[in-house]
Amino acid sequence: MGIRSMRARWAAALAFVALAGCGDARQASAGGDDAGEWCRIARRDVGMPGDVTETSGAAFDPADPEVFWTHNDSGNDPVLYAIGSDGRARGTLQVEGASNQDWEDLAVGPCEGGQCAYIADIGSAGRRKNDPVALYRVALPPVDQAATARADRFEARFPGGGQDAEALFVLPDGSIYVIGKGQKEPIELYRWPTPLQPGPVDLVRVRELAPEPEQPGDRVTGAGASRDGRWVAVRSYGRLALYRTAELLGTGRPEFAMELTPVGEPQGEAVAIESNGTVLLTSEGGQRTVPGRATFLQCTLPQS
């Protein structure tokens, strides 16, 4: 099934809605001639285990591309869940030394001794304006087991005071970035200073991606970088934008963007992307007691 896709002719003066609203609309279809400008739905509405009702962040497992990790939102236990592409539970990681104040996103990236999960406790729930946000780093275990590991905690503050954020991505060189939600301010990209320090440190503003959204559905809810570091996916409740990393960190536009209406998510939350163009979208189930849902897209990424 094809998703409406369009090349973004984007300027910073336009809201995030422009990511799917600008350019010449083209109806994409699987097997079409417009390679590089469309994504197709490969698998949709994949139910998650009953313990995962508020899936708020997601990242592919570094050893098994058929497995992803996710977690629940604020107030839940500090647990990561490994889930297969068929929606079946594949393991858990109890994160010691952490509390889930407002876990909003998840990334996998390098750390001493291998690959770690980076858990972004960066949402606004329960935080006052000047309270720092937190980042947890914990070693990932093999899947298919119930594991426990202690996390390192790092704190940071946004320039000019607190704001709501739900998107984090980590690049292969270990650099870490946060994207603001655009709740009551412009959507901005920040760099978390590395090497990581207990902090709190000051996040470094990189650029403005868009002014404050006019529509609630255009607020950013997740981000993810491909394993090779060439691509970053940024999503809102209703739209997905794919950036070349160099363009995102510079002054560039998304390579292309698309509306997610055909996916039919109750509440779109997280995104993860693989180097081969596989994109994972997660959504809450629509009610706190209903398990989350996953959708897999297959996108054609330009090679040059």
Side-chain angles (χ1 to χ4, degrees):
M1 177 179 180
I3 292 181
R4 178 173 297 273
S5 169
M6 53 214 77
R7 185 171 299 277
R9 297 172 185 168
W10 200 53
L14 299 177
F16 191 74
V17 67
L19 294 179
C22 289
D24 299 325
R26 180 182 301 178
Q27 182 64 44
S29 60
D33 295 329
D34 51 349
E37 296 184 9
W38 54 269
C39 300
R40 62 179 178 85
I41 298 176
R43 185 178 300 179
R44 67 185 305 167
D45 206 30
V46 177
M48 297 188 195
D51 291 339
V52 184
T53 58
E54 296 183 85
T55 170
S56 191
F60 286 107
D61 183 78
D64 188 344
E66 293 298 315
V67 174
F68 65 92
W69 292 87
T70 189
H71 56 78
N72 286 313
D73 207 334
S74 60
N76 286 279
D77 293 333
V79 177
L80 298 182
Y81 300 88
I83 300 174
S85 59
D86 58 1
R88 296 183 180 180
R90 294 288 302 272
T92 58
L93 173 61
Q94 181 77 34
V95 185
E96 291 189 337
S99 62
N100 185 347
Q101 181 169 343
D102 197 0
W103 288 12
E104 289 291 358
D105 209 355
L106 176 67
V108 171
C111 61
E112 184 176 354
Q115 295 285 303
C116 284
Y118 291 80
I119 306 165
D121 196 340
I122 58 176
S124 62
R127 284 193 172 89
R128 297 168 297 184
K129 181 175 177 59
N130 293 317
D131 286 347
V133 295
L135 179 70
Y136 294 103
R137 182 182 64 193
V138 61
L140 278 175
V143 297
D144 296 317
Q145 62 177 271
T148 300
R150 178 162 292 276
D152 299 314
R153 177 185 169 96
F154 311 97
E155 293 186 344
R157 288 192 173 95
F158 286 96
Q163 62 172 275
D164 200 5
E166 297 190 7
L168 172 106
F169 64 93
V170 178
L171 296 177
D173 64 1
S175 55
I176 302 167
Y177 294 88
V178 173
I179 301 176
K181 185 173 184 178
Q183 187 77 11
K184 296 181 180 178
E185 57 278 311
I187 296 170
E188 295 186 314
L189 173 66
Y190 299 91
R191 178 174 55 83
W192 195 300
T194 53
L196 291 171
Q197 302 293 328
V201 299
D202 293 326
L203 296 178
V204 179
R205 182 184 181 277
V206 177
R207 61 175 290 198
E208 180 179 309
L209 299 182
E212 179 183 344
E214 295 182 1
Q215 303 296 327
D218 296 320
R219 293 169 181 157
V220 173
T221 64
S226 61
R227 195 185 308 267
D228 61 11
R230 295 180 61 238
W231 294 90
V232 177
V234 182
R235 72 158 300 164
S236 66
Y237 289 113
R239 295 175 178 88
L240 171 69
L242 301 184
Y243 285 86
R244 295 178 189 270
T245 303
E247 297 293 329
L248 176 62
L249 301 185
T251 59
R253 312 166 182 176
E255 181 68 18
F256 55 96
M258 64 207 69
E259 296 183 12
L260 297 176
T261 304
V263 176
E265 297 175 300
Q267 181 173 312
E269 290 287 344
V271 63
I273 183 171
E274 284 279 23
S275 302
N276 66 358
T278 300
V279 173
L280 164 68
L281 304 169
T282 72
S283 170
E284 294 186 5
Q287 300 179 27
R288 294 183 68 90
T289 58
V290 177
R293 318 297 293 178
T295 296
F296 294 87
L297 310 179
Q298 189 60 51
C299 299
T300 302
L301 301 178
Q303 297 303 306
S304 60

